[in-house]
Amino acid sequence: MGFVAAAGYPSKFMDFRWVTRREKGKSELNLKPPKIPLYISTSPSDVNPQELKQLFISCNHSCHRFPKLDPKEEAVDIDKLCVALSHSCVIVSLFSRPHLDTDTDSASLADKSSKHTKVPLWGNLMQKVMPVTPSNGQLVGFGRAVSDVGLTASIYDVMVIPSLRRMGLGRMIVQRIVRMLTSREIYDIAALCSEDERLFFEACGFGDDILGSTTMMYTKKVATDFEGNQMVC
C-alpha cells in the first residue's frame, strides 16, 4: 500500500549509503566495525504501514500522546497511522538488510544455528552483492513532518531500531527532513520530542524558541464552559 504526500511536496528522493555499525565486546584494535548498506527514501509509496507498525513496536514508540488514558487502546492504530502518513508532507524512511535489524540475542542465536546449517555459497554472494531497496530491505528508521506548506512545519516520529542506534541514522533522518523543508523556503521548523530526546534534537541543531514560546498540549482534563463572550475553566 502506497501513499501520496500532502499537496506541495510531489518530489521524492532515493539514496544509497554505507554506515559503520558499532558492536559491543569487540576490540576496535583487533576488528574493524562492519559497514552495513543503507537505502534512504523520501517516497511515501515505499512505506508499508504494517512494517511501520512493527517499527513503532520495536522502538517502543506510541502513536498516542497520552497512551495511559486508555490502557485498552492499541499502541499503534494501523488505520490512524495510514491517515497520518497520507497527510504528512515529508516522509523519510531507511532500509537495510533484514538480518541486520535483529537484537544481540537473536544475532547470537542465528550464529549458533548457522554452524549447523549449510547455506549455499551463491545465496551468500547474491545477498552481499545485491543492493538494498525498499522491496528487499527491512525498514529500520523513519521520520516525518507535517506542514502548512507555507510558513511552518513540525517533525514527528523520528525512530531507529535499537540495534542500529548511535550510528548517526536518526540525525540523517532529521537532516533530510530539514533539507526538504528549507528547499521550499520553510524555516520555522519545530520538533515535538520528549525530554529524553531533547539532547538528540539539540545535536541536530534545534534549541529553545528565541521568542520564548513553548508547546502546550490539550490534556482532556479541563472542563470548559462559556458565559457570554468569555470561556470559563
Side-chain angles (χ1 to χ4, degrees):
M1 180 178 180
F3 296 91
V4 178
Y9 288 82
S11 63
K12 56 184 179 180
F13 180 84
M14 294 170 285
D15 191 9
F16 183 80
R17 296 188 184 182
W18 289 84
V19 293
T20 302
R21 180 177 185 176
R22 299 180 182 179
E23 293 191 352
K24 298 180 180 179
K26 294 185 178 181
S27 173
E28 296 182 357
L29 297 178
N30 299 328
L31 183 63
K32 293 183 179 180
K35 290 182 177 295
I36 64 172
L38 191 68
Y39 183 98
I40 311 171
S41 172
T42 59
S43 174
S45 61
D46 288 336
V47 179
N48 183 305
Q50 291 294 342
E51 292 182 1
L52 182 56
K53 177 179 179 179
Q54 291 303 317
L55 181 63
F56 267 80
I57 295 174
S58 64
C59 295
N60 195 28
H61 192 88
S62 175
C63 291
H64 308 293
R65 294 296 301 167
F66 306 100
K68 295 182 180 180
L69 292 181
D70 188 359
K72 296 181 180 180
E73 192 171 6
E74 190 177 9
V76 183
D77 187 318
I78 191 67
D79 294 329
K80 291 184 177 180
L81 184 59
C82 290
V83 173
L85 289 173
S86 65
H87 288 277
S88 298
C89 65
V90 175
I91 293 177
V92 175
S93 50
L94 305 183
F95 298 87
S96 189
R97 288 180 180 147
H99 70 282
L100 293 175
D101 70 338
T102 55
D103 54 24
T104 304
D105 294 336
S106 299
S108 300
L109 182 60
D111 291 339
K112 293 179 181 179
S113 61
S114 63
K115 296 179 181 179
H116 304 283
T117 305
K118 293 184 178 181
V119 180
L121 178 61
W122 178 253
N124 282 337
L125 180 61
M126 287 298 295
Q127 188 178 29
K128 292 181 180 180
V129 174
M130 183 178 297
V132 175
T133 66
S135 59
N136 65 16
Q138 178 72 32
L139 182 64
V140 297
F142 178 82
R144 67 188 182 94
V146 177
S147 174
D148 57 17
V149 199
L151 297 175
T152 65
S154 298
I155 298 176
Y156 295 87
D157 301 329
V158 176
M159 66 190 90
V160 176
I161 60 172
S163 60
L164 296 184
R165 290 175 182 171
R166 302 185 66 82
M167 295 171 54
L169 273 62
R171 182 180 297 187
M172 191 183 301
I173 293 173
V174 174
Q175 289 176 341
R176 185 60 56 86
I177 293 175
V178 170
R179 186 186 309 171
M180 294 183 67
L181 291 172
T182 55
S183 68
R184 291 157 176 84
E185 299 184 352
I186 297 177
Y187 302 102
D188 189 351
I189 306 172
L192 190 64
C193 63
S194 65
E195 189 64 29
D196 294 337
E197 299 168 329
R198 185 181 181 88
L199 290 178
F200 163 73
F201 279 100
E202 287 180 348
C204 293
F206 288 78
D208 294 332
D209 191 342
I210 59 175
L211 299 179
S213 62
T214 185
T215 300
M216 300 185 67
M217 303 298 297
Y218 175 58
T219 62
K220 301 182 181 180
K221 295 180 180 180
V222 180
T224 61
D225 193 8
F226 287 88
E227 293 182 0
N229 295 326
Q230 296 182 341
M231 183 174 68
V232 179
C233 298

